[in-house]
Amino acid sequence: MRAVIERHLTKLRARDFVSPDHENAIRESIRDYRDIPADRTVIRANVRLDHCTLLVDGVLCRYKDVRSGERQITELHLPGDFVDLHSFTLKRLDQPVMSLTPCRVASIPHDKLRLLTERHPHLARLYWFATNLDAAIHREWEVSLGRRTARAKLSALFCELLMRLQVVGLADESGYDLPLTQADLGDCTGLTAVHVNRTLKELRGDQLITFQNNRVTIHDLAGLRRAGEFDATYLYLERQHC
Amino acid sequence: MRAVIERHLTKLRARDFVSPDHENAIRESIRDYRDIPADRTVIRANVRLDHCTLLVDGVLCRYKDVRSGERQITELHLPGDFVDLHSFTLKRLDQPVMSLTPCRVASIPHDKLRLLTERHPHLARLYWFATNLDAAIHREWEVSLGRRTARAKLSALFCELLMRLQVVGLADESGYDLPLTQADLGDCTGLTAVHVNRTLKELRGDQLITFQNNRVTIHDLAGLRRAGEFDATYLYLERQHC
DNA sequence: CGATTTTTTGACATTCATCAATCTGGGTGG
DNA sequence: CCACCCAGATTGATGAATGTCAAAAAATCG
């Protein structure tokens, strides 16, 4: 049962030193594993929260609906991510979280997190780091949303997901599984599903990537990076932070 | 000399209880006040940092240049804001910070911040909160950038700035000073300067706001909020957080 | 007061959205 | 196992929002 948060620990270890003592403290605080079907609201916005939710498996997103009926996804969460670590200090979420695929999640009460971070300032900084990394990803999305063409937006997104999935061992050179619809990709990039479709066709035609059967197959990573103006420094993949 | 960080303390107090003890600890850690002309890079990206920078006066922005030569501003910083509190855990910035107006800044070494946060876990959470609020603002900008019309983007931006400036006493009912160019507003909203100009004309024609002589004059706040689909909950203006 | 930046306006181009229809593949009940 | 169903993918035709280019007017600055 404990093994299921391995991806989370892998992600932490990739960032900085985590002692066995820390790891045990984390393992013992995580509880309440549960499964969630696709397309469910997992956390509502503006409701007071007393625990944080860890994504064990599946894909979740933060999003906001706008009046016109469209949706903007503001971040995708992958296995090993805390989806609402910011609720520890914010106490509620400004945007809801929903499942895009069937998911498995676990939780950690804010009280435990408080103890954990007061006893281990190093862990406090490590989790603080994690929320700051979230913000860095938001910033990069702002750049995509504001100033990139449809082609570059999608290319950049596929590059980001590749790097993030590699950290937790869910991607290799050839590509990765991504059980999203083209409409979901449109909600991430501010495009319509129709235009995503046309752009994917173009990327396929240019031998960069194929997105089919819930899988991203990368044919030319260098070309994809170029198309998306992708520079991974915003993902802070180097070690030694806090 | 100490009085100059009052806006920062005002902002903290607006969020949660800050004891005199905490305030003194903060005051004693802040140093190295300096003035910066407009249009200067204040912090370069990807350079190792050992201190955080506090904005005392003026407007700074985080931004990223894209290949096409355009710029996307990802956040505006107002007096009282830490502009790179995230550098405490990230150790470097993923995006540079530049001055849009003449600015006054101060700094606090990471070492001091480390002591401050280890001795006062409450302050640690308060500053953690501050970086999470930054992320919430990023999320709202993502929504604007991805799914809002030019008219709504600008309206939402003017609403956000009104609320944020009110917290530090730099705005009243009638409006606020905003020494930015239309090109700067375009860089915030992902629009061209030309289109910003046309959209401002429209907002003026509709008696919502006037932006002239570096001042935003609000004629119809309710109308502006509607035009921008503005809901301030993402700014976490209520007290009692950490 | 000359020089530069910023704002404003017009004509035209482009990207992406919208609307609508068809196609496809996987799932389901009989 | 098959017929049906349905969400998702694909394509075409057309339209709207915003970008581009260019020039003039206005404001700002040294």
Side-chain angles (χ1 to χ4, degrees), chain B residues 158-159 161-177 209 215-219 221 224-225:
Chain B
F158 289 128
C159 286
L161 292 175
L162 174 68
M163 305 300 281
R164 290 174 59 192
L165 287 167
Q166 276 180 340
V167 172
V168 287
L170 291 172
D172 57 34
E173 297 305 296
S174 72
Y176 49 89
D177 291 330
I209 61 134
R215 185 165 176 88
V216 175
T217 306
I218 296 176
H219 308 304
L221 181 54
L224 188 68
R225 282 171 183 274

Side-chain angles (χ1 to χ4, degrees), chain A residues 91 94 138 142 226 241, chain B residues 67 91 138 142 236 241:
Chain A
K91 303 304 177 204
D94 45 281
H138 287 321
E142 289 181 72
R226 245 176 286 125
H241 285 285
Chain B
R67 252 206 302 264
K91 302 306 179 203
H138 287 319
E142 288 182 72
Y236 292 87
H241 284 284

Side-chain angles (χ1 to χ4, degrees), chain B residues 105-123:
Chain B
V105 300
S107 25
I108 174 169
H110 285 174
D111 291 343
K112 292 261 186 192
L113 205 45
R114 187 181 183 117
L115 282 177
L116 208 59
T117 53
E118 292 196 351
R119 281 194 196 140
H120 309 284
H122 181 71
L123 271 186

Side-chain angles (χ1 to χ4, degrees), chain A residues 127-162:
Chain A
Y127 280 133
W128 190 350
F129 168 88
T131 62
N132 284 338
L133 175 57
D134 257 24
I137 291 172
H138 287 321
R139 282 190 286 277
E140 188 66 20
W141 282 40
E142 289 181 72
V143 175
S144 259
L145 289 164
R147 294 296 194 198
R148 289 188 176 134
T149 61
R151 181 188 166 91
K153 285 176 180 183
L154 285 168
S155 300
L157 178 60
F158 288 128
C159 286
E160 175 184 310
L161 293 176
L162 173 68

Side-chain angles (χ1 to χ4, degrees), chain A:
Chain A
M1 191 37 112
R2 282 183 173 173
V4 290
I5 65 155
E6 278 315 305
R7 283 209 184 97
H8 176 63
L9 295 177
T10 299
K11 193 166 289 197
L12 288 185
R13 281 186 220 114
R15 258 66 208 231
D16 204 342
F17 177 73
V18 185
S19 72
D21 190 33
H22 290 151
E23 293 202 4
N24 286 333
I26 295 171
R27 280 207 178 82
E28 278 160 22
S29 306
I30 306 272
R31 53 166 77 156
D32 297 332
Y33 291 84
R34 67 201 167 96
D35 289 302
I36 296 170
D39 271 309
R40 291 293 168 83
T41 297
V42 178
I43 311 172
R44 280 186 300 148
N46 301 323
V47 167
R48 189 165 179 98
L49 299 173
D50 61 4
H51 65 276
C52 288
T53 300
L54 178 68
L55 178 58
V56 174
D57 227 336
V59 181
L60 292 172
C61 71
R62 299 179 194 163
Y63 70 97
K64 180 162 176 170
D65 287 317
V66 296
R67 251 206 306 264
S68 58
E70 294 163 304
R71 175 175 71 162
Q72 177 64 47
I73 292 177
T74 58
E75 190 167 352
L76 289 178
H77 293 292
L78 307 177
D81 288 350
F82 261 118
V83 298
D84 62 346
L85 189 48
H86 50 311
S87 77
F88 177 52
T89 60
L90 297 175
K91 303 304 177 204
R92 61 178 173 84
L93 297 195
D94 45 281
Q95 294 181 352
V97 172
M98 68 174 288
S99 55
L100 294 177
T101 70
C103 288
R104 185 160 179 76
V105 301
S107 24
I108 175 170
H110 284 174
D111 291 344
K112 292 261 188 193
L113 205 45
R114 187 182 182 116
L115 283 177
L116 210 58
T117 52
E118 292 194 352
R119 279 190 199 146
H120 308 284
H122 180 73
L123 271 186
R125 285 189 294 272
L126 202 48
Y127 280 133
W128 190 350
F129 168 88
T131 62
N132 284 338
L133 175 57
D134 257 24
I137 291 172
H138 287 321
R139 282 190 286 277
E140 188 66 20
W141 282 40
E142 289 181 72
V143 175
S144 259
L145 289 164
R147 294 296 194 198
R148 289 188 176 134
T149 61
R151 181 188 166 91
K153 285 176 180 183
L154 285 168
S155 300
L157 178 60
F158 288 128
C159 286
E160 175 184 310
L161 293 176
L162 173 68
M163 304 300 283
R164 290 173 60 193
L165 287 167
Q166 275 179 340
V167 172
V168 287
L170 290 173
D172 57 35
E173 299 303 297
S174 72
Y176 49 89
D177 290 330
L178 188 73
L180 305 186
T181 66
Q182 296 184 0
D184 293 333
L185 294 180
D187 289 341
C188 291
T189 50
L191 302 168
T192 58
V194 172
H195 201 65
V196 168
N197 184 277
R198 293 188 223 274
T199 309
L200 287 175
K201 184 180 178 181
E202 189 188 320
L203 293 176
R204 211 182 314 131
D206 293 349
Q207 299 288 338
L208 297 180
I209 62 134
T210 304
F211 176 54
Q212 238 166 25
N213 298 116
N214 291 333
R215 184 163 177 90
V216 174
T217 306
I218 297 177
H219 307 305
D220 174 5
L221 181 54
L224 188 68
R225 282 171 182 272
R226 245 176 286 125
E229 262 186 89
F230 183 77
D231 171 355
T233 54
Y234 76 94
L235 292 174
Y236 292 86
L237 295 169
E238 70 271 18
R239 276 178 55 93
Q240 290 301 339
H241 285 285
C242 310

